[in-house]
């Protein structure tokens, strides 16, 4: 079994224990002040300041902590993003990335995509025009998504509004909906990969690891191996950026379809324009139609109803 030992000072130790707080376990061994268990790593902190990491994830977990007496951290930690401490050189490894879109939009689905980018494909994917998707326009993403889908093993899931509203009314939070969709998309990509395995799976983080896996408790198959979470992950590996683009374009395509049903372009987001459009649909096509196009629990519903009532008078 692989293991790593590092020595930390008090400040760094406190930070580490806080970091693994959610995964704490009781271990009554001599000299042990804290212990935690992740799906692939056991962490033991000793009174001396020594920290022992054991298991498949030990080097991943051990990296990023500043060792006592050393001037530089043992490995580079991504200071600008939240989540796991990341292996150095992550951007150049073979990675399955996943991301979602549509969760903040009143109209339209939630979509999640996962895709695999091998080491060898990284340059090609960049040449196809993949950058941090936050910097890309919808039109550009529509243009490059077909090439990406053709080039990369991927899976994209569209949770349409009827289904979304049904599970939401059953009590599912958006976090749970997202976690289940990410897990499903990842599973499908891994299946398509056959015997090939990614070095890491990188999820654009929307929940802490513990919360994410808690949502998946009842799932029949849970993807756990080599999973990393980070916010702003689309800037950390092109696999997440590509997944983000594929998810976004799936969202846009479903919005196009819904817009053609309503007869006008449905606005994105959840702002005043959305309230107006929703009121227009209420007045012309009624509540059931609006519900079938939207995330019904959003506050936009109430606002639209008020606007519609005012206009009726
Ligand atoms: Mn995201």
């Amino acid at each position: 079994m692989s293991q790593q030992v590092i020595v930390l000072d008090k400040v760094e130790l406190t930070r580490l224990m806080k970091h693994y707080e959610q995964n704490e376990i009781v271990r009554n061994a001599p000299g042990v002040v804290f212990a935690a268990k992740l799906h692939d790593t056991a962490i033991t902190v000793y009174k001396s300041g020594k920290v022992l990491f054991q298991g498949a994830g030990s080097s991943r977990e051990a990296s990023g902590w500043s060792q006592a007496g050393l001037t530089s951290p043992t490995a580079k930690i991504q200071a600008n993003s939240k989540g796991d401490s990341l292996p150095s050189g992550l951007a150049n490894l073979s990675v399955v990335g996943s991301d979602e879109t549509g969760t903040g939009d009143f109209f339209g689905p939630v979509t999640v995509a996962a895709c695999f980018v091998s080491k060898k494909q990284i340059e090609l994917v960049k040449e196809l025009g993949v950058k941090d998707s936050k910097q890309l326009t919808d039109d550009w993403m529509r243009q490059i998504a077909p090439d990406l889908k053709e080039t990369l093993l991927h899976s994209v899931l569209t949770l349409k509004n009827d289904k979304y509203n049904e599970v939401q009314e059953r009590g599912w939070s958006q976090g749970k909906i997202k976690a289940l969709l990410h897990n499903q998309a990842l599973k499908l990509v891994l299946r398509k990969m056959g015997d090939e395995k990614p070095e890491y799976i990188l999820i654009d983080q929307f929940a802490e690891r513990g919360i994410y896996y808690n949502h998946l408790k009842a799932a029949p198959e849970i993807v756990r191996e080599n999973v990393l979470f980070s916010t702003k992950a689309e800037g950390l590996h092109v696999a997440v950026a590509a997944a983000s683009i594929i998810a976004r374009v799936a969202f846009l395509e479903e919005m196009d379809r819904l817009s053609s049903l309503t007869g006008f372009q449905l606005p994105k987001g959840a702002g005043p324009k959305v309230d107006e459009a929703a009121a227009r649909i209420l007045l012309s096509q009624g509540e059931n139609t609006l519900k079938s196009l939207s995330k019904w629990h959003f506050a936009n519903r109430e606002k639209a109803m008020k606007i519609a009532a005012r206009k009726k008078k």
Side-chain angles (χ1 to χ4, degrees), residues 225-241:
E225 215 180 319
N226 297 322
V227 173
L228 299 169
F229 295 85
S230 179
T231 58
K232 299 181 185 156
E234 62 281 332
L236 300 174
H237 197 284
V238 289
V240 181

Side-chain angles (χ1 to χ4, degrees), residues 99-100 134 204-205 234:
D99 198 12
E100 82 285 334
K134 296 256 148 63
D204 189 37
Q205 184 166 356
E234 62 281 332

Side-chain angles (χ1 to χ4, degrees), residues 237-248:
H237 197 284
V238 289
V240 181
S244 170
I245 291 165
I246 292 170
R248 179 73 184 167

Side-chain angles (χ1 to χ4, degrees), residues 21-258:
E21 196 171 54
Q22 284 189 331
N23 307 96
E24 184 170 4
I25 53 163
V26 181
R27 264 203 59 196
N28 296 315
V32 173
V33 292
F34 175 89
K37 181 108 183 62
L38 309 182
H39 68 284
D40 62 354
T41 318
I43 298 130
T44 314
V45 179
Y46 296 90
K47 224 183 261 165
S48 61
K50 212 184 259 177
V51 185
L52 173 64
F53 299 83
Q54 290 169 296
S58 56
S59 41
R60 179 194 70 231
E61 295 301 324
S63 70
W65 301 103
S66 306
Q67 292 222 50
L70 297 179
T71 45
S72 66
T74 49
K76 213 165 69 189
I77 186 165
Q78 297 288 345
N80 60 345
S81 56
K82 269 195 350 205
D84 294 332
S85 31
L86 301 168
S88 52
L90 177 65
N92 301 313
L93 301 179
S94 298
V95 166
V96 172
S98 66
D99 198 12
E100 82 285 334
T101 197
T103 52
D105 301 86
F106 178 62
F107 290 113
V110 171
T111 61
V112 172
C115 73
F116 174 56
V117 178
S118 74
K119 258 182 203 145
K120 289 181 198 148
Q121 290 174 311
I122 293 171
E123 275 316 306
L124 171 66
V125 170
K126 286 183 185 162
E127 272 167 38
L128 289 176
V130 173
K131 278 176 270 182
D132 184 336
S133 55
K134 296 256 148 63
Q135 300 162 15
L136 300 177
T137 63
D138 284 350
D139 285 342
W140 179 247
M141 290 195 267
R142 280 186 201 261
Q143 268 186 47
I144 65 174
D147 292 338
L148 293 175
K149 286 162 86 172
E150 187 139 338
T151 312
L152 302 173
L153 283 178
H154 69 280
S155 156
V156 54
L157 305 172
T158 299
L159 182 68
K160 294 189 180 170
N161 294 96
D162 285 335
K163 187 77 188 161
Y164 177 97
N165 289 329
E166 184 197 316
V167 296
Q168 197 279 326
E169 280 160 21
R170 244 196 275 154
W172 291 20
S173 65
Q174 267 209 352
K176 178 167 182 170
I177 291 171
K178 286 190 262 189
L180 285 158
L181 289 171
H182 273 262
N183 184 60
Q184 180 71 8
L186 292 169
K187 210 169 74 184
L188 292 171
V189 170
L190 291 175
R191 201 170 289 163
K192 287 181 187 176
M193 289 174 66
D195 292 335
E196 203 177 350
K197 279 226 158 64
E199 288 169 281
Y200 289 99
I201 291 170
L202 180 58
I203 299 178
D204 189 37
Q205 184 166 356
F206 55 89
E208 294 293 325
R209 178 186 291 275
I211 294 167
Y212 175 85
Y213 282 112
N214 198 37
H215 286 314
L216 296 181
K217 264 188 319 214
E221 211 182 302
I222 303 173
V223 176
R224 290 179 181 278
E225 215 180 319
N226 297 322
V227 173
L228 299 169
F229 295 85
S230 179
T231 58
K232 299 181 185 156
E234 62 281 332
L236 300 174
H237 197 284
V238 289
V240 181
S244 170
I245 291 165
I246 292 170
R248 179 73 184 167
V249 172
F251 172 79
L252 294 173
E253 282 169 354
E254 176 67 2
M255 284 292 267
D256 290 346
R257 193 184 71 83
L258 298 177

Side-chain angles (χ1 to χ4, degrees), residues 271-309:
K273 272 194 192 146
V274 167
D275 302 334
E276 289 293 336
R280 190 172 156 190
I281 295 165
L282 274 178
L283 290 169
S284 59
Q285 301 173 60
E287 210 172 298
N288 286 341
T289 302
L290 179 60
K291 186 173 179 181
S292 72
L293 304 166
S294 68
K295 300 183 186 77
W296 199 232
H297 64 114
F298 276 34
N300 300 88
R301 176 181 69 176
E302 292 300 318
K303 290 180 197 159
M305 284 180 170
K306 278 187 193 147
I307 295 170

